Amino acid sequence: MNYEDDIFGGSPKDKFFDIVFNANRNLVENELEKIFMELVALRELSEEKGINMQDINSFLALRQDELETGLNDVYIGLTGDILTQNE
């Protein structure tokens, strides 16, 4: 068990899904829509810069620590955004 598990009572991913399944549906939809819009923008920018799916898959395979840290940051940020609007 790591420090994050102690703070959140589970991993950031677990806490995020606990919140998502219990929060106001409209708030969750709005936050997910923001993430999807960012994903689309990043895909378009990547394509413009010549980054292809092979480059992305290579990053995913070779940089797991960075990926995990980034995912935890996203889960924590989204959880906070949903909770502050859900009050």
Side-chain angles (χ1 to χ4, degrees), residues 8 11 18 21 24 35 37-39 67 72-73 75 85:
F8 293 106
S11 71
D18 287 343
F21 293 133
N24 177 289
I35 292 294
M37 288 175 14
E38 185 176 311
L39 175 62
L67 183 63
N72 284 337
D73 290 346
Y75 287 130
Q85 295 178 57

Side-chain angles (χ1 to χ4, degrees), residues 56-75:
I56 293 169
N57 289 332
S58 178
F59 178 91
L60 293 172
L62 299 174
R63 297 172 78 175
Q64 286 293 310
D65 289 342
E66 291 174 62
L67 183 63
E68 184 175 337
T69 298
L71 280 171
N72 284 337
D73 290 346
V74 169
Y75 287 130

Side-chain angles (χ1 to χ4, degrees), residues 19-30 82 85-86:
I19 298 302
V20 164
F21 293 133
N22 292 293
N24 177 289
R25 181 182 172 122
N26 288 331
L27 293 175
V28 172
E29 286 178 3
N30 290 339
I82 292 168
Q85 295 178 57
N86 202 40

Side-chain angles (χ1 to χ4, degrees), residues 31-83:
E31 291 304 315
L32 290 175
E33 180 82 12
K34 289 178 193 176
I35 292 294
F36 292 143
M37 288 175 14
E38 185 176 311
L39 175 62
V40 169
L42 290 170
R43 284 180 173 179
E44 293 297 320
L45 288 168
S46 294
E47 188 175 310
E48 287 176 14
K49 300 291 183 184
I51 299 169
N52 59 37
M53 283 307 297
Q54 184 177 357
D55 298 325
I56 293 169
N57 289 332
S58 178
F59 178 91
L60 293 172
L62 299 174
R63 297 172 78 175
Q64 286 293 310
D65 289 342
E66 291 174 62
L67 183 63
E68 184 175 337
T69 298
L71 280 171
N72 284 337
D73 290 346
V74 169
Y75 287 130
I76 292 167
L78 281 171
T79 299
D81 292 345
I82 292 168
L83 285 175

